[in-house]
Amino acid sequence: AQSVTQLDSQVPVFEEAPVELRCNYSSSVSVYLFWYVQYPNQGLQLLLKYLSGSTLVKGINGFEAEFNKSQTSFHLRKPSVHISDTAEYFCAVSLTIVAGTALIFGKGTTLSVSS
Amino acid sequence: GAVVSQHPSRVICKSGTSVKIECRSLDFQATTMFWYRQFPKQSLMLMATSNEGSKATYEQGVEKDKFLINHASLTLSTLTVTSAHPEDSSFYICSARPYMDGYTFGSGTRLTVV
């Protein structure tokens, strides 16, 4: 079985500080990993994804994530956050289900950036 | 490209009535679409997978008779919440997979049952 654990439910940080949002997954097979951002009452926007190849993945808005197979982690990082980065962030894994393949999400991390 | 349009964005209905939510793929054909439900401050929970021309596959614990899913064409899937009750109030999001390595999401529907 595959699952996704986001270790921090809330991460408060000051503007221009670095941030790391942690994500661990459990899987016995190769996985596709994703990070999405959700602003209030909106759908999901893809930040980045890992499919294969380089373990360091760069995404939009200055975010990046590193796939670590030995630690089964896919932590999201940004060296300097902005107020506008305040949102909900979801880590997800592509999971094979009865009907095919679907995305299964972690519980989310609320990033709050203050000045 | 690969846009999924979801309507309505918000809907308020009376308890006992039914509500239909539409999810359309605008520039690609979606043989499979996914329906998620999100409670406030919580994650997205996969409800069901709809397949064009066949019955939807529901996740464990999801009531098939309450959440009717129809995928009659390659660009449209609908979710109908039947006999809605206040506990059905939630944020519903649809998704499709236009490419092997990517998923696209609708903008979501906020359902409030009063």
Side-chain angles (χ1 to χ4, degrees), chain A residues 6 32 34 36 38 41-44 46 49 51 88 90 94-95 97-108 110, chain B residues 10 32 34 36 38 41-44 46 49 51 57 59 91 93 95 97 99-108 110:
Chain A
Q6 290 184 244
Y32 291 171
F34 304 79
Y36 286 88
Q38 184 182 35
N41 291 313
Q42 294 187 28
L44 299 175
L46 178 67
K49 60 187 175 185
L51 307 175
E88 192 77 14
F90 293 97
S94 184
L95 170 68
I97 58 175
V98 173
T101 304
L103 277 184
I104 302 302
F105 290 85
K107 292 188 175 181
T110 302
Chain B
R10 292 176 179 270
T32 300
F34 308 94
Y36 292 85
Q38 185 181 30
K41 304 295 185 182
Q42 295 189 32
S43 186
L44 287 80
L46 181 65
T49 303
N51 301 289
T57 302
E59 296 301 304
F91 193 57
I93 305 176
S95 172
R97 193 181 187 189
Y99 359 87
M100 284 298 294
D101 60 355
Y103 296 81
T104 299
F105 289 82
S107 55
R110 172 72 61 192

Side-chain angles (χ1 to χ4, degrees), chain A residues 62-81:
Chain A
F63 284 94
E64 63 180 33
E66 185 159 17
F67 171 65
N68 188 318
K69 187 174 182 179
S70 63
Q71 297 185 6
T72 60
S73 68
F74 190 56
H75 301 334
L76 181 70
R77 302 186 184 99
K78 185 169 182 177
S80 176
V81 295

